[in-house]
Amino acid sequence: MDIRNIAIIAHVDHGKTTLVDKILHTTKVFRENQQTGDLIMDSNDLERERGITIFSKNAAVVYNDVKINVIDTPGHADFGGEVERVLKMADGVCLLVDAFEGPMPQTRFVLQKALQLNLKPIVIINKVDKPNCRPDEVHDAIFELFFNLDATEEQLNFPTFYGSGKNGWFNDSLEQIDNINPLLDGIIKYVPPPKVNDGPVQMQITSLDYSSFLGRIAVGKVSRGVLKENQQVALMQADGTIRKTRVRELYVFEGMGKKKVTEVIAGDLCAVVGIEDFNIGDTIADAENPEALPVISVDEPTMNMLFSVNNSPFFGKDGKFVTSRHLRDRLMKETEKNLALRVEDSDEGDSLMVYGRGILHLGILIETMRREGYELTVGQPQVIVKEINGKKCEPYETLVVDVPQEFASKVIDLVSRRKGEMLIMETKGDMQHLEFDMPSRGLLGLRTQMLTNTAGEAVMNHRFSEYKPWKGPIPGRSNGVLIAKDAGTTTGYSLDKLQDRGYFFVDAGEDVYKGMVIGESNKPGDIVVNSNEGKKLTNHRASGSDAATNIQPKREMTLEECMEYIQQDECIEVTPNNIRMRKVILDEDERKKIQKRMSAEAV
Ligand SMILES: Nc1nc2c(ncn2[C@@H]2O[C@H](COP(=O)(O)OP(=O)(O)OP(=O)(O)O)[C@@H](O)[C@H]2O)c(=O)[nH]1
Ligand SMILES: [Mg+2]
């Protein structure tokens, strides 16, 4: 059967998974009356909840007697390395671009990778149903992007489709139709069939699947020969070792699942069970004449965080797994399938240093663990500093901000204070489009401040660019926090009295402990406050009268917001039911002593 291998790539939220939905429906992957819902490929719980793709996934459909392997990829910058890897399985890409937003930082990154691999690009200008969208301008911007990325003459001649994944149509013009067939025809016409060479079998492992039942499953494209069930093969690793092993089971992709087969012919994508201790980039080759494919690198982590057991006074209240042993085992297990993650024992007992690709990458791991019943404490995320040619270097990112004109100067001011340098300033309709180059450190906690300073209007995106020399100190959080003085239960009476000091992360009636961060102060400098006072002896001191007082509701902070919020002397207590911010040292006097000592040492 004729085959096409395509990856769907785009900036976050530009509509990749929605397009895959439409492809699955058009090619009748489901029974007539089967209930499927939206974003079918986002099958993981967290993906469904957040409406984002975290892991890339394979599907396969048949259209006009051609098998199309479709790879849905994540759009968030933290998972860019994963996209880069799975592109190795594709022969062409569908580059989706939002008809309103136009190309964004991640569009540039994924397109660059696709062009470097010489994959055939098909451009899809999506979401043309949006009011005020500007498909023609966006088309020009995409052409310019191809040009700036040194696309070849042939690549510059990319076919373009327009449409709306949500409304279920794509056409080669802006004329609205009621299906996506022109796009599917285009995929078959423009994407070349896989290039296959003659010779003994070769398959590079580019991705992995995990099943609690079968363990780690190697996924990749057979690029030469035929891979057979029960075949003796050689596993060729990056360090040059060659190990004899056997293919226990073999699967190809079918619909949203996999189909067990006895052989896979070059050109098709497959999943192999039975290969032990493989790494991404290893080649499965002929046992007699093993030849390796060039190794592929897995991206280096850019951020680290200290994970420790929960040592707050509320330890063990709602978690199932709370010991350092639990924590360590769980994290080590994670490294088997989470490729960009690294875990090291730290000098302090009970703690491990966890290295990842960014706030979202680490945040998702923590969120997954708390749902499984783990309790833990995590420290402030730190960017990973490297020495390059004898110079201290840190990661830099490209930051893109789109904001209404009147807020542009505020944004520039805010970013400059955090050591960002403006590269581009353009007017797009009544919006200002700003691009900056800045240290990743400066981005931590920027989002909340950016939204506050622009009345929630700024749209910001960033992605890692490169390591460059250390940019010097960057101011942290500007305001101090309100810290609970004693353990107890907060009262409306106390919170009401404290309202002019700042705002709260807790409501009345919540349990707090000494040293817990319960709010943000209006001013710089931390304040220890008494949040648990009862109204003095009247008969009405119960919660009823508390609730009657006029208190602002607490500010809900997500885990990722907390991660960006805390400073070096703070940490986050994560349990299945709660996320609390706290001082690392809970006792006020103790904190002061240490502060004194540190400032003395700094002199
Ligand atoms: N108006 C409009 N919205 C769309 C269209 N296609 C997708 N969306 C919406 O855009 C949002 C993101 O869609 P997804 O398909 O999840 O985007 P994605 O590119 O897979 O996102 P990530 O996987 O997180 O990078 C969803 O709310 C969709 O309903 C479209 O054609 N028009
Ligand atoms: Mg998606």
Side-chain angles (χ1 to χ4, degrees), residues 337-502:
K337 53 177 172 176
N338 196 333
L339 297 167
L341 195 79
R342 223 67 40 94
V343 178
E344 274 171 21
D345 285 304
S346 81
D347 317 333
E348 297 156 58
D350 293 353
S351 306
L352 294 112
M353 193 56 96
V354 178
Y355 300 79
R357 290 290 294 173
I359 292 281
L360 185 66
H361 180 220
L362 291 169
I364 281 170
L365 168 64
I366 300 167
E367 187 64 43
T368 310
M369 288 176 65
R370 81 187 265 251
R371 284 171 192 223
E372 291 168 357
Y374 286 83
E375 276 191 18
L376 62 155
T377 307
V378 294
Q380 189 193 25
Q382 307 277 346
V383 301
I384 296 175
V385 178
K386 278 188 193 167
E387 186 137 326
I388 301 174
N389 298 331
K391 265 207 174 127
K392 180 178 176 186
C393 291
E394 62 175 326
Y396 277 64
E397 307 203 22
T398 308
L399 167 71
V400 178
V401 186
D402 288 288
V403 71
Q405 301 280 6
E406 67 259 39
F407 296 119
S409 61
K410 280 194 174 164
V411 171
I412 296 169
D413 184 50
L414 182 64
V415 177
S416 317
R417 261 187 283 140
R418 290 163 166 258
K419 299 272 160 66
E421 279 174 30
M422 191 157 70
L423 305 173
I424 295 175
M425 179 167 178
E426 283 170 355
T427 311
K428 260 196 203 170
D430 44 9
M431 299 285 270
Q432 202 65 250
H433 174 85
L434 308 166
E435 289 191 28
F436 303 88
D437 178 45
M438 76 188 297
S440 304
R441 271 185 306 146
L443 282 160
L444 290 175
L446 180 63
R447 187 176 299 269
T448 18
Q449 280 198 31
M450 181 82 84
L451 291 176
T452 324
N453 287 8
T454 61
E457 295 273 5
V459 178
M460 66 178 258
N461 279 286
H462 55 94
R463 81 153 283 115
F464 171 74
S465 57
E466 58 183 325
Y467 268 86
K468 287 198 292 191
W470 181 260
K471 195 93 188 206
I474 290 181
R477 190 175 65 209
S478 43
N479 291 0
V481 287
L482 307 177
I483 304 166
K485 181 161 178 266
D486 295 305
T489 307
T490 55
T491 60
Y493 174 73
S494 290
L495 296 190
D496 186 36
K497 275 207 308 191
L498 292 166
Q499 279 206 82
D500 50 356
R501 293 293 194 87

Side-chain angles (χ1 to χ4, degrees), residues 106-391:
Q106 192 67 4
T107 315
R108 185 190 177 92
F109 172 80
V110 290
L111 177 62
Q112 182 178 30
K113 297 299 171 191
L115 294 179
Q116 281 166 359
L117 288 168
N118 226 345
L119 305 182
K120 177 73 195 180
I122 292 180
V123 168
I124 304 175
I125 298 184
N126 190 25
K127 306 201 186 183
V128 299
D129 59 286
K130 272 192 175 175
N132 305 325
C133 67
R134 32 187 201 107
D136 292 325
E137 271 173 55
V138 168
H139 182 267
D140 292 347
I142 298 170
F143 185 85
E144 207 178 299
L145 180 62
F146 269 74
F147 189 79
N148 291 337
L149 292 172
D150 291 326
T152 61
E153 197 70 24
E154 200 199 327
Q155 289 169 331
L156 278 174
N157 257 325
F158 56 85
T160 309
F161 291 84
Y162 299 86
S164 161
K166 194 158 112 184
N167 296 343
W169 69 275
F170 286 104
N171 200 354
D172 55 7
S173 70
L174 271 164
E175 188 196 339
Q176 181 164 354
I177 50 173
D178 64 0
N179 61 61
I180 65 164
N181 296 350
L183 173 63
L184 292 172
D185 292 330
I187 290 172
I188 292 176
K189 177 169 162 202
Y190 297 112
V191 176
K195 278 192 237 44
V196 296
N197 306 318
D198 282 336
V201 70
Q202 254 185 346
M203 168 188 150
Q204 184 157 45
I205 304 175
T206 40
S207 167
L208 66 78
D209 214 345
Y210 193 85
S211 129
S212 45
F213 204 56
L214 299 166
R216 298 167 85 217
I217 303 169
V219 176
K221 174 156 100 179
V222 178
S223 50
R224 202 170 75 179
V226 181
L227 193 61
K228 295 197 176 89
E229 190 181 27
N230 279 321
Q231 186 176 355
Q232 284 286 337
V233 289
L235 180 73
M236 310 185 65
Q237 306 206 274
D239 60 3
T241 44
I242 302 180
R243 232 168 353 102
K244 289 269 160 72
T245 171
R246 196 172 60 88
V247 175
R248 196 140 52 83
E249 285 172 25
L250 208 49
Y251 294 84
V252 292
F253 296 97
E254 185 180 70
M256 295 181 46
K258 298 191 190 80
K259 182 173 83 172
K260 196 161 185 293
V261 290
T262 50
E263 61 173 39
V264 180
I265 298 170
D268 208 350
L269 311 185
C270 68
V272 185
V273 175
I275 312 286
E276 261 152 42
D277 296 326
F278 64 83
N279 290 314
I280 294 298
D282 292 354
T283 305
I284 296 176
D286 187 77
E288 303 306 319
N289 300 298
E291 275 175 76
L293 290 159
V295 291
I296 43 182
S297 56
V298 175
D299 23 59
E300 291 293 313
T302 53
M303 189 175 271
N304 64 18
M305 265 172 102
L306 194 67
F307 282 46
S308 338
V309 290
N310 181 12
N311 61 2
S312 97
F314 291 169
F315 160 83
K317 278 203 171 166
D318 50 42
K320 258 197 302 194
F321 307 113
V322 297
T323 66
S324 58
R325 178 68 188 277
H326 285 138
L327 190 64
R328 187 167 192 287
D329 289 352
R330 176 65 182 80
L331 288 172
M332 290 304 173
K333 190 148 191 280
E334 182 71 19
T335 56
E336 286 179 12
K337 53 177 172 176
N338 196 333
L339 297 167
L341 195 79
R342 223 67 40 94
V343 178
E344 274 171 21
D345 285 304
S346 81
D347 317 333
E348 297 156 58
D350 293 353
S351 306
L352 294 112
M353 193 56 96
V354 178
Y355 300 79
R357 290 290 294 173
I359 292 281
L360 185 66
H361 180 220
L362 291 169
I364 281 170
L365 168 64
I366 300 167
E367 187 64 43
T368 310
M369 288 176 65
R370 81 187 265 251
R371 284 171 192 223
E372 291 168 357
Y374 286 83
E375 276 191 18
L376 62 155
T377 307
V378 294
Q380 189 193 25
Q382 307 277 346
V383 301
I384 296 175
V385 178
K386 278 188 193 167
E387 186 137 326
I388 301 174
N389 298 331
K391 265 207 174 127

